Amino acid sequence: MTDLPGRENDPNENPFAMFGDPEQIAAAMRQFADMLSAPQSSGPVNWDMAKNIARHVVAAEGDPSVMEGERRQIVDALNLADLWLNEATTLPSGVNNPQAWSRSEWIEKTVPVWRQLCDPVAARMVETMSGTLGATGLPAEAQAMAGPLMGMMKQMGSMLVGQQIGQALGSLAREVVGSTDIGLPLSENAALLPGGIAAFGQGLETPVEEIRIYLALREAAHHRLFQHVPWLRVHLFGAVEEYARGITVDVSALEEQLRGLDVNNPEQLQQVLSGGNLLKPEETERQKAALARLETMLALVEGWVGTVVDGAAEGKLPSSAALAETVRRRRATGGPAEQTFATLVGLELRPRRLREAAALWQAIERDRGIDGRDAVWSHPDLMPTADDLDNPEGFVRGEPELDLSSLEASLGEAPKEPEKGNDDPRDGAA
C-alpha cells in the first residue's frame, strides 16, 4: 500500500484519506439522500426535507428528551415570571400553556411560523434560480420546449432552499433558549429549552435557578406583547412580505457558482449548499425601506421587553443586571439568532438600535408611568419611528412648540397669498 501517491512515508494512514474527510463526505451524502428521498414540495421550500436536515444537525451533537423534573422546573419558572410581570406592565398574561422543549421539538413547533416568514422570500429566489438553471446552456429554440425541465429545475430549487433552511434551523436550535429569541412570535405557547438554558449559562457565575427565571421573564414578556397587541404580528410579517416583493437575485453570480459546481466533489457541494451564498439576495431601495421599518419595530419590541423585565426583576433577582448585560452583549455582537434570521429571510438586523430603543421606553416610563408607556402599543400610529430612537426626549415631549409653530406658520401663510393675488390690482396688470 506504500506505492500510493503521497503515502510513501505513512503506510498506516487510512487508504481512503485521499478522497477527503470521511465525516464531510458522509454529511454530504446524507444531504443528498435527504434531497432525493424527500417528497415533492407544493411550495417554494421543501419543508419536509428542511425539518429532516435540521433534526440531523441537532442530533449530531446530542438532543436528549426533556425529563419530567426539567419540565416542572421550566413550567414553574414561567408561571412565577408571569406573576412578577403583573407589577411591571399593564398588558395581561400571555402564558396559557407553558412548555419545555427539546431542540427537535423546537424545530417541529416553530416550522409553521418559519414557513410563513421564509416562503415569500424563497418564492422569489426559487423563481429566479429555476429560470437560471433551466436556461443555462440551452439555445433559444430549446428553451421554448423546456417546460418539463423548468418544472424539474423549480423542484431542485425548492430542495436547495430547503437544504439551506434546514441547516440554518438546526444551527439555531442548538443556541436558542425559547420561542422568542429572534423577537418574533414563533409559537403561541411560551416555552423554554433546558439545553438552551444550560448553554446560555456556561461560563456565568450565576445560579442556574436565577438564569432560568430571568429567561422565563423575557419569554413571558414577549408573549404578553404579541398576544395583546393584535396589530403587531401583522405589522412585522407584513414588513417581511414587503421585503420579499422587492427582492432580486444576482443572476450572473448565481450562474457562476452553478457553472463551477462539481457534483462529484462532496466537499465542494456541501460548502456551496450550506454556505448560504448561493441564495443571497440583492437589496433594492424598496427592500431597504421595508428592512428599516422591520428593524425599528424589532428594536422597539426588544427594548420594551428589556425595560419590563428589568422592572419585574428589580429587588427579586440579584443577578438580573448582570444577566441583562449578558443578553445585550449576545444581541449586540450579532448572535446566532440574528445570523440565522439573515440566512433564512435575507434580512440583516442591526442590534445597535436595541440599546437606543430601551432608552426610549425608559424615558416614556419616567414621564408617563407604566400605563402611559404601555398605552403607546394601542395603535401603530402612536409608535416611535427610527428618528425617535435618536431623540427619545423629543418623542416623550411630543415637541409641541415645534409642531404648533409649524402649524401656525402654515395657517398664517395660506390665506395671505391668495388675498394678495385676488385683491392687488398690480398682480392682475402683470
Side-chain angles (χ1 to χ4, degrees):
M1 298 297 291
T2 59
D3 58 344
L4 289 175
R7 299 187 63 249
E8 294 84 353
N9 298 323
D10 195 5
N12 296 320
E13 187 180 348
N14 182 353
F16 299 101
M18 69 178 69
F19 299 108
D21 186 341
E23 293 184 1
Q24 292 182 344
I25 295 175
M29 292 302 100
R30 185 171 61 246
Q31 291 165 11
F32 264 127
D34 284 333
M35 292 176 64
L36 294 175
S37 63
Q40 291 192 351
S41 172
S42 59
V45 178
N46 192 314
W47 285 101
D48 290 329
M49 187 189 67
K51 287 193 291 185
N52 288 338
I53 290 175
R55 290 193 190 98
H56 283 312
V57 172
V58 297
E61 297 189 6
D63 182 32
S65 300
V66 177
M67 305 301 290
E68 178 59 25
E70 294 175 319
R71 189 196 69 80
R72 285 199 303 269
Q73 288 175 338
I74 285 178
V75 170
D76 290 345
L78 285 168
N79 286 329
L80 177 61
D82 201 42
L83 185 64
W84 287 4
L85 287 171
N86 287 335
E87 302 175 5
T89 175
T90 60
L91 296 181
S93 171
V95 178
N96 301 317
N97 182 21
Q99 298 179 4
W101 293 341
S102 67
R103 292 182 171 97
S104 295
E105 287 175 317
W106 179 90
I107 293 170
E108 191 69 34
K109 300 284 189 179
T110 62
V111 156
V113 178
W114 285 118
R115 186 169 194 158
Q116 185 178 354
L117 279 170
C118 297
D119 275 356
V121 177
R124 296 300 301 272
M125 288 183 176
V126 170
E127 179 183 351
T128 303
M129 185 177 177
S130 61
T132 302
L133 285 168
T136 300
L138 290 178
E141 60 274 12
Q143 292 184 27
M145 304 173 61
L149 177 62
M150 292 298 182
M152 183 178 67
M153 292 298 100
K154 187 173 182 179
Q155 189 66 27
M156 181 178 178
S158 173
M159 290 192 294
L160 287 172
V161 177
Q163 195 278 344
Q164 181 186 359
I165 289 177
Q167 285 282 343
L169 283 179
S171 298
L172 182 57
R174 294 201 300 257
E175 303 288 344
V176 296
V177 299
S179 71
T180 57
D181 290 65
I182 66 168
L184 290 170
L186 297 179
S187 171
E188 294 295 326
N189 299 113
L192 293 175
L193 284 69
I197 295 174
F200 180 92
Q202 287 181 353
L204 300 180
E205 297 180 356
T206 305
V208 65
E209 293 81 6
E210 291 193 32
I211 295 174
R212 187 185 302 115
I213 293 176
Y214 183 82
L215 296 176
L217 281 168
R218 289 182 51 81
E219 178 77 4
H222 274 100
H223 279 271
R224 287 195 179 217
L225 189 61
F226 282 110
Q227 291 194 28
H228 298 291
V229 180
W231 58 265
L232 181 56
R233 179 188 175 96
V234 175
H235 183 91
L236 289 170
F237 282 70
V240 174
E241 293 175 3
E242 177 66 19
Y243 177 91
R245 282 195 290 269
I247 201 170
T248 59
V249 178
D250 187 347
V251 176
S252 61
L254 179 61
E255 289 178 345
E256 183 64 28
Q257 292 191 60
L258 295 174
R259 189 179 298 115
L261 186 62
D262 181 5
V263 296
N264 296 315
N265 186 335
E267 184 176 352
Q268 181 193 16
L269 185 63
Q270 183 186 20
Q271 182 179 0
V272 171
L273 291 179
S274 61
N277 295 326
L278 188 65
L279 304 173
K280 187 174 182 180
E282 294 180 306
E283 281 194 355
T284 64
E285 291 303 317
R286 183 176 182 178
Q287 285 177 285
K288 290 177 181 178
L291 176 58
R293 291 194 299 273
L294 181 62
E295 288 172 342
T296 299
M297 191 56 66
L298 287 175
L300 290 170
V301 168
E302 176 66 21
W304 182 88
V305 167
T307 300
V308 169
V309 168
D310 288 346
E314 185 176 5
K316 301 183 182 72
L317 209 58
S319 58
S320 61
L323 291 171
E325 185 59 31
T326 300
V327 170
R328 279 193 290 268
R329 285 200 304 268
R330 281 166 57 97
R331 299 300 298 270
T333 55
E338 285 79 17
Q339 295 168 9
T340 302
F341 192 69
T343 301
L344 292 176
V345 189
L347 298 175
E348 295 284 352
L349 303 182
R350 289 179 293 180
R352 63 183 179 83
R353 308 297 285 175
L354 300 180
R355 192 178 293 272
E356 295 161 350
L360 186 146
W361 288 117
Q362 291 163 10
I364 297 174
E365 182 177 334
R366 286 193 300 269
D367 186 79
R368 308 178 189 176
I370 291 176
D371 290 358
R373 180 201 65 197
D374 293 348
V376 175
W377 291 103
S378 62
H379 195 278
D381 291 345
L382 300 177
M383 293 301 296
T385 65
D387 291 337
D388 294 322
L389 295 181
D390 297 323
N391 183 20
E393 295 300 331
F395 178 83
V396 172
R397 294 193 308 268
E399 298 182 338
E401 296 180 3
L402 176 62
D403 291 342
L404 289 176
S405 63
S406 300
L407 180 61
E408 290 171 357
S410 62
L411 291 176
E413 292 172 2
K416 289 180 181 178
E417 294 188 1
E419 287 177 3
K420 181 178 179 181
N422 292 335
D423 300 336
D424 192 338
R426 289 174 297 181
D427 289 344

